[in-house]
Amino acid sequence: MGRSRKGRDERIEPRFGTARGGMDLRAHSEDRPWVAVAAPERPSPKVRGEPERKPAKPERKRPAGRETDNRAPEDRSRKRRKRRGLFGTLMVWGLTASVWLVILAAGVIAWYAAHLPPTHALEVPPRPPNVAIVAADGAELANRGDTGGAAVPVRSLPRHVPDALIAIEDRRFRSHFGIDPIGLMRAAVTNFTNRGVHQGGSTLTQQLAKNLFLTPDRTMGRKIQEAVLALWLESNYSKDQILELYLNRVYFGAGAYGIEAAARRYYDKPATALTLQEAAVIAGLVKAPSRLAPTRNPEAAQARAQLVLTAMAEQGLITDQQLRVANADPARTNRAAQSGSINYVADWVMDLIDDYVGKVETDIVVETTIMAPVQQAAEAALREALARGGQRHGVEQGAVVVIDTAGAVRALVGGRDYAQSQFNRAVAARRQPGSAFKAFVYLAALERGLTPDTVRPDAPVQVQGWRPENYTRDYRGDVTLSQALAASLNTVAVRLGQEAGPRAVVRTAQRLGIGSALNANPSIALGTSEVNLLELTGAYAPFANGGTGVVPHVITRIRTASGRVLFQRPRLSLGQVVEPRHAAMMNAMMNQTTVSGTGRTVRLPGWIVAGKTGTSQDFRDAWFVGYTGRFVGGVWFGNDDGTPTRRLTGGGLPVDVWNRVMAEAHRGQPMTDLPGNWRSYGGSDRILPGETLDQPMAMTPTDARRAARRPAEPEDRSAVVRPQPGAGLFDRLFR
């Protein structure tokens, strides 16, 4: 077949159909099956004049058997929501709610935090000052103040003291940042499980923040502020500083704030000497200090202490051997620390401090004149005497005072048991001294020219209708003043009181140191005006020291804990209030009282003793005031309600107690005689014949009341007797 040139250049493809209506048998993409193609097809030869076709994009491979989803987009979205289901919805809403809760919590925290002082203005408030009261030898006697104990550095405490607290209260204290999330979660689970508040999640830092800055109300706002303040404390103080602040301020029950106060209160020792068992008891008190106090509930306190010890063992703070030993030998509370008579002294000291240094704003140390062995002897003697003879004599209370000849108080017991009654009968109680007041009557007579050998009749006497009698209702006739004082004859005392004048008797007593109000009437000679034991004992001191008046005192110096002196007691006396020769005469007569008179049961081997017994109307009060050249001791017995005893006299229990106390006071002291040439005025070689029983006022209660109300003698019309110089000072010290 002939071809043209043009035909030679082009290839003619066979066709199965033509434009004139033939069939087009070429395969199209939609006609191809969904199968993987191993290799791309080779492009078919290009036909001249045919428009160029772009190769079709290879379709995505689909899993076998999956059909093409030709549904609308809305149908596909509905299917996805159905497939997500309830769990997905809850997840979305939960995340959304969590975000809003976080935002809300942050807002609440910010709101409560905004009501706190600015952090730059925050500072730990100063600890309430402590008053340490020490004996004459420097030994600590008691602590007073809001804390009841001095601040103690953590480094000076035995390691088991802070470890016990951490083990039971905040075991992750050393690792948390002020808030313990683990502890909070555990407490929340426990409280939810038990349907109530059974555990708290507060750390020691949070507890400290509450104690330092916040009120004790249990509200959500306060808990939030507590947490914020705990973070501030942790950022500004070390762990040891936080622990020290906590230990020195937390309440441990029984009025004890701080570890030192607790150690003193429960075990009568400093915190630095606490044993493991004692530390466990004290650490366990923080949960419920009032309920678990070992002085109130020893069984509960010990059970709690065992929990503390077990926690310490679990945390590796003590060994199993230490745990067994501690549980086998539990701590024992020193109950004497609660009821010790030294508390009467401590209370008296606190009453006096304001007059010396004003308001206390820092820890101070008060140095006193107290001799601890004498104080202990006085407490024991009084308590044993009441236990032995209190029921027999119908007497419930007593008091003891011992001073030296310069007026320094060496012992003071204000009652039978401080725990039962804090009323200080040695300082605050005023009672009729009875015949113990006759010393001032006889001194007033001596100062008007009489002597121990002066004779006066022991016979019935009448003063403005009042007829006092002797205790025995009999009379001896003429007796010397020495005999009359030794036998405590009432008739002679009344005669001498009338000779000197009631007002002169009052002035004499005030000059020697009596600060209480005295009525200048005839019955003053028999001790019807009330006085307290401290001033009566101090008023006898001029006889013991040769005539110098003294101011009974207990404080010698007050200094800060750092050593700065705030008060130093000057040498102070009332001067010569009794002439030496009159003092010697009184010593001679009152020595006779202890040898053969109403005080003849006095026993102080090796020492010359003088003194006077006293018994008030109806045996309501029994007294003995005795002295040597070293010390003066006064003892009182009676009932707080003024009811009569069963014939108790000054020569009975009061002398017994005086013997025991003064034996301890004179132990190791060099011998000293009574001042003055007292033997030349009678002395102990004179024996009084006849009855020597102490003489209470022998008159009916009606007569006694009438005599007490009787106005003064014509020259003593003034109802008020002006005190002599020095009485105001006494009154301030004694009241």
Side-chain angles (χ1 to χ4, degrees), residues 203-258:
T203 63
L204 289 178
T205 313
Q206 288 176 268
Q207 294 178 40
L208 177 62
K210 176 187 68 176
N211 293 338
L212 291 178
F213 304 109
L214 302 173
T215 60
D217 14 323
R218 301 168 63 88
T219 63
M220 180 59 69
R222 201 220 66 187
K223 294 295 290 183
I224 291 174
Q225 291 179 326
E226 177 185 296
V228 173
L229 291 169
L231 297 176
W232 178 83
L233 285 171
E234 290 278 348
S235 65
N236 287 274
Y237 296 90
S238 68
K239 290 289 186 180
D240 281 347
Q241 288 175 320
I242 292 173
L243 194 60
E244 185 172 306
L245 286 170
Y246 186 94
L247 280 169
N248 284 300
R249 294 170 186 251
V250 69
Y251 183 56
F252 287 108
Y257 287 85

Side-chain angles (χ1 to χ4, degrees), residues 515-538:
S516 297
L518 301 175
N519 295 317
N521 53 38
S523 66
I524 190 68
L526 301 185
T528 54
S529 289
E530 296 177 340
V531 299
N532 67 52
L533 178 60
L534 179 64
E535 63 184 340
L536 183 62
T537 305

Side-chain angles (χ1 to χ4, degrees), residues 19-42:
R20 296 186 182 94
M23 294 179 62
D24 187 356
L25 300 179
R26 287 177 296 179
H28 296 281
S29 59
E30 57 268 18
D31 298 327
R32 296 173 180 165
W34 256 69
V35 295
V37 180
E41 296 182 356
R42 299 179 65 183

Side-chain angles (χ1 to χ4, degrees), residues 98-116:
S98 298
V99 172
W100 280 109
L101 283 175
V102 170
I103 296 173
L104 178 63
V108 171
I109 293 173
W111 190 87
Y112 280 109
H115 286 73
L116 291 171

Side-chain angles (χ1 to χ4, degrees), residues 164-299:
L165 183 67
I166 292 174
I168 196 64
E169 286 293 319
D170 189 1
R171 63 177 57 195
R172 281 176 289 276
F173 172 74
R174 296 289 183 184
S175 59
H176 64 61
F177 52 88
I179 302 172
D180 183 9
I182 298 175
L184 286 173
M185 291 296 296
R186 184 187 68 252
V189 171
T190 301
N191 296 336
F192 178 78
T193 304
N194 293 278
R195 297 182 180 182
V197 179
H198 296 272
Q199 281 191 11
S202 294
T203 63
L204 289 178
T205 313
Q206 288 176 268
Q207 294 178 40
L208 177 62
K210 176 187 68 176
N211 293 338
L212 291 178
F213 304 109
L214 302 173
T215 60
D217 14 323
R218 301 168 63 88
T219 63
M220 180 59 69
R222 201 220 66 187
K223 294 295 290 183
I224 291 174
Q225 291 179 326
E226 177 185 296
V228 173
L229 291 169
L231 297 176
W232 178 83
L233 285 171
E234 290 278 348
S235 65
N236 287 274
Y237 296 90
S238 68
K239 290 289 186 180
D240 281 347
Q241 288 175 320
I242 292 173
L243 194 60
E244 185 172 306
L245 286 170
Y246 186 94
L247 280 169
N248 284 300
R249 294 170 186 251
V250 69
Y251 183 56
F252 287 108
Y257 287 85
I259 188 66
E260 180 71 12
R264 298 282 183 183
R265 185 62 52 89
Y266 298 126
Y267 302 110
D268 196 24
K269 62 171 62 174
T272 54
L274 287 173
T275 65
L276 173 61
Q277 297 93 316
E278 294 163 349
V281 172
I282 292 177
L285 298 178
V286 174
K287 179 181 180 181
S290 297
R291 180 172 59 85
L292 296 174
T295 52
R296 178 178 180 181
N297 194 343
E299 294 79 12

Side-chain angles (χ1 to χ4, degrees), residues 558-573:
I558 302 175
R559 56 180 171 83
T560 64
S562 60
R564 182 167 60 90
V565 176
L566 303 177
F567 168 79
Q568 180 74 51
R569 181 174 185 81
R571 295 182 62 88
L572 178 64
S573 76

